[in-house]
Amino acid sequence: MKYLSWGILVVAVLLIFACSSSPSDTTMQRPRVGKTAPSVPEDSPDDVALLTTDKGRIVIRFFQQDAPKTVANFKRLARSAFYNRTTFHRVAPGTLIQGGDPLSKDNNPWNDGAGNSGEFIPFERNNHKHVRGAVAMARGEALDSASCQFFIVLKRMPQWDGQYVVFGEVIDGLDVADQISRVRTYQEDRRYKEFPTTKQTIKSIEIVKKDTLQKG
């Protein structure tokens, strides 16, 4: 009888543990998912983009409310280091500089401008104009074809209004953008007359809080 009582007790304990660790229990599965899922930093209206270039830094303030998906896409790519070591592959003096193409990281300058991130953003029409300092997404023929390339406007371009999504503005470093826009290009070839002859590298793009920036 003593052995039978011990046997009943052991079986009861095993049943308790089996019931409490059921693999169908979602509370048991969540930690497993959490270890592999990437963490997404909380967006803040105080977020700015800090671009570090060969010529100096450029700081961009976001229009979060007016282009939320475009801003979220840009922040996601920046936080994943996607933009690091890309270039401003297209420049027009006093008009624009364009960059953010992953193909600009390779040693073939002639494919710059043809790359994307593999994901595309819905067109977010808003009332922001293409004024000096505006930051907008480049795209192909379709409105919803913007992906990762962006450009900084250096003078008022009304013909671009409504054609591209303006998602931010430069709040520091417009002089740096001006300097980049004036570098030497392949003027002798019409197809590449806006391609710089030397790489205008974006060393990094970081998403930081505005109040953490020191004056540039």
Side-chain angles (χ1 to χ4, degrees), residues 21-36:
S21 347
S22 168
S24 64
D25 186 340
T26 56
T27 60
M28 294 298 294
Q29 295 172 6
R30 279 181 197 136
R32 227 174 288 156
V33 173
K35 287 178 183 176
T36 56

Side-chain angles (χ1 to χ4, degrees), residues 23-85:
S24 64
D25 186 340
T26 56
T27 60
M28 294 298 294
Q29 295 172 6
R30 279 181 197 136
R32 227 174 288 156
V33 173
K35 287 178 183 176
T36 56
S39 60
V40 179
E42 186 177 344
D43 281 329
S44 163
D46 297 325
D47 286 343
V48 294
L50 172 60
L51 285 67
T52 303
T53 79
D54 288 335
K55 301 286 191 296
R57 78 175 194 176
I58 299 171
V59 180
I60 295 170
R61 179 176 76 88
F62 296 111
F63 299 145
Q64 186 96 32
Q65 292 187 330
D66 302 316
K69 292 178 182 176
T70 304
V71 171
N73 179 74
F74 187 91
K75 287 182 177 181
R76 177 180 61 82
L77 293 176
R79 285 171 172 144
S80 70
F82 176 93
Y83 287 122
N84 296 2
R85 309 305 301 175

Side-chain angles (χ1 to χ4, degrees), residues 45-214:
D46 297 325
D47 286 343
V48 294
L50 172 60
L51 285 67
T52 303
T53 79
D54 288 335
K55 301 286 191 296
R57 78 175 194 176
I58 299 171
V59 180
I60 295 170
R61 179 176 76 88
F62 296 111
F63 299 145
Q64 186 96 32
Q65 292 187 330
D66 302 316
K69 292 178 182 176
T70 304
V71 171
N73 179 74
F74 187 91
K75 287 182 177 181
R76 177 180 61 82
L77 293 176
R79 285 171 172 144
S80 70
F82 176 93
Y83 287 122
N84 296 2
R85 309 305 301 175
T86 59
T87 72
F88 285 110
H89 63 272
R90 180 187 173 205
V91 302
T95 302
L96 67 74
I97 59 174
Q98 180 174 322
D101 182 355
L103 294 181
S104 66
K105 295 182 184 184
D106 64 25
N107 292 320
N108 177 14
W110 313 119
N111 65 7
D112 294 357
N116 60 67
S117 70
E119 296 183 23
F120 301 91
I121 320 160
F123 190 81
E124 294 180 297
R125 193 179 300 278
N126 59 52
N127 294 323
H128 290 288
K129 307 299 183 185
H130 288 77
V131 297
R132 177 170 166 79
V135 184
M137 293 302 295
R139 63 170 178 82
E141 291 184 11
L143 287 178
D144 295 339
S145 60
S147 177
C148 56
Q149 295 185 45
F150 63 95
F151 60 94
I152 296 173
V153 183
L154 299 177
K155 70 175 182 180
R156 178 74 173 106
M157 299 295 288
Q159 64 270 38
W160 295 346
D161 293 348
Q163 300 301 309
Y164 304 93
V165 178
V166 176
F167 67 96
E169 65 178 351
V170 174
I171 58 173
D172 185 34
L174 259 179
D175 58 326
V176 174
D178 283 328
Q179 189 179 352
I180 293 171
S181 81
R182 293 191 295 265
V183 299
R184 186 166 177 260
T185 61
Y186 293 97
Q187 285 292 329
E188 63 277 5
D189 190 325
R190 261 181 59 186
R191 293 170 301 171
Y192 305 114
K193 67 178 183 178
E194 294 181 336
F195 280 36
T197 58
T198 56
K199 281 198 170 189
Q200 303 303 306
T201 305
I202 301 171
K203 294 179 179 179
S204 65
I205 299 183
E206 301 169 83
I207 305 302
V208 299
K209 296 290 181 286
K210 184 180 177 182
D211 60 7
T212 66
L213 286 176
Q214 295 181 347

